[in-house]
Amino acid sequence: AGPATLVAALFFLALAGCAGSRQAGEPPGPGSLVGGATAQAAEQQAERFFRLELSRVDKPVSMGHNDLELSVRGPGGEEVDAAVVDTVLGRPGGDTVEAEPPRVVPRGPGRFLLQDVVFPATGDWRLRVTVAGDGKTESDFFDFSEVPVAGRQPGVPSDIPKDLDLSTLKLSRRERFMVSYTSDPVAAGRSQAWTMGITRPDGAPLAGAEVSLVGAAPLGGQGLPHKPLVVPSGGPGQYRVLGLFFDAPGWWAVAVHIEEPAGERDDVGFDLLVQ
């Protein structure tokens, strides 16, 4: 066979592989992530009630809080009147994890915003979505491969990045808040407490915010063994992070999610080297 024939054969093999796995750590746009259960033989797909597709909203999927848009259509692509019943997050082929369910916001016939889908660590994740409509209920799953730390490319890094930013004062992703933290020397194997300050860019302290935090060691993929507790502390805009536990030395990444009383949300990430 000539070179052209070989290239064509490899191209069609690649297409077949993509159709079977339906994995993406960073869905590039609408319709990019189709439920795994819909990637079946044609005769099985004809028996399904709904076709589900996910797409990211405003940023690449990363550890921490994410907004995803869900499209629910009939087998022929028609709009359907359905409702999201349940979402369950877990590792592919593994156990589910305890996580706050996302807020489901209707956006029109067959369209929903899954607000605050939380990946508590880096690595591979599976999201199962259950929808119901017209007396029928059906579940589908979506695989996210090699979910990275925010701002990094999908994949497992082989070493600590040379451009690692160890700043303890940062502007949030959407530039809504300035966030800082102070702590005792960070060491592995013992509980940590951070004092966190959150202000608006003009320096006004942000009081009454809901603050949550997740973290992971990107080189190993493990997340925090316990969910830290964040409580108000001291004056306005001051918060205390309790029960932060790094179980191994090395590079750790922490993602902080902030929601102010008026509902505005934003995220910021910190990198640190644990001794």
Side-chain angles (χ1 to χ4, degrees):
T5 304
L6 179 60
V7 170
L10 291 173
F11 174 76
F12 285 110
L13 283 173
L15 281 182
C18 290
S21 62
R22 303 292 187 181
Q23 294 184 350
E26 183 181 325
S32 62
L33 199 59
V34 181
T38 63
Q40 298 181 6
E43 61 270 17
Q44 291 176 308
Q45 188 166 350
E47 298 174 0
R48 296 186 59 81
F49 305 127
F50 306 112
R51 177 180 174 85
L52 277 60
E53 297 188 11
L54 274 181
S55 58
R56 62 183 173 91
V57 175
D58 67 342
K59 71 178 182 71
V61 170
S62 62
M63 180 185 74
H65 288 242
N66 299 266
D67 289 349
L68 303 174
E69 186 164 292
L70 174 68
S71 170
V72 183
R73 295 185 176 275
E78 67 277 12
E79 293 181 346
V80 296
D81 184 14
V84 178
V85 176
D86 188 30
T87 59
V88 178
L89 182 67
R91 296 287 194 179
D95 296 331
T96 60
V97 297
E98 291 186 11
E100 291 292 327
R103 303 171 189 171
V104 180
V105 182
R107 281 192 159 184
R111 294 176 57 239
F112 303 90
L113 174 65
L114 303 185
Q115 193 176 71
D116 293 334
V117 177
V118 181
F119 296 104
T122 57
D124 296 342
W125 291 97
R126 172 168 291 178
L127 180 68
R128 189 182 73 202
V129 180
T130 302
V131 299
D134 194 26
K136 304 177 181 66
T137 301
E138 194 165 65
S139 295
D140 220 338
F141 65 82
F142 300 86
D143 283 341
F144 297 81
S145 62
E146 300 180 343
V147 171
V149 173
R152 302 285 175 184
Q153 293 297 317
V156 179
S158 59
D159 203 353
I160 297 175
K162 297 184 183 300
D163 61 347
L164 200 64
D165 182 1
L166 301 179
S167 302
T168 59
L169 171 64
K170 289 188 177 181
L171 183 65
S172 61
R173 181 172 58 86
R174 297 188 182 98
E175 301 185 351
R176 291 173 177 159
F177 311 117
M178 289 294 298
V179 186
S180 65
Y181 76 89
T182 58
S183 70
D184 294 331
V186 180
R190 64 183 180 87
S191 184
Q192 313 280 321
W194 285 6
T195 297
M196 186 172 291
I198 306 176
T199 69
R200 299 187 185 280
D202 62 4
L206 181 67
E210 292 186 13
V211 183
S212 60
L213 183 152
V214 296
L219 297 182
Q222 74 268 30
L224 296 172
H226 311 291
K227 182 179 179 180
L229 177 66
V230 184
V231 296
S233 173
Q238 296 294 307
Y239 300 84
R240 192 74 169 161
V241 182
L242 305 172
L244 188 56
F245 189 92
F246 303 104
D247 57 6
W251 169 33
W252 283 79
V254 170
V256 180
H257 181 75
I258 303 159
E259 181 171 346
E260 65 172 332
E264 292 291 335
R265 302 172 300 133
D266 210 347
D267 307 271
V268 64
F270 293 100
D271 292 297
L272 58 153
L273 296 177
V274 176
Q275 302 300 315

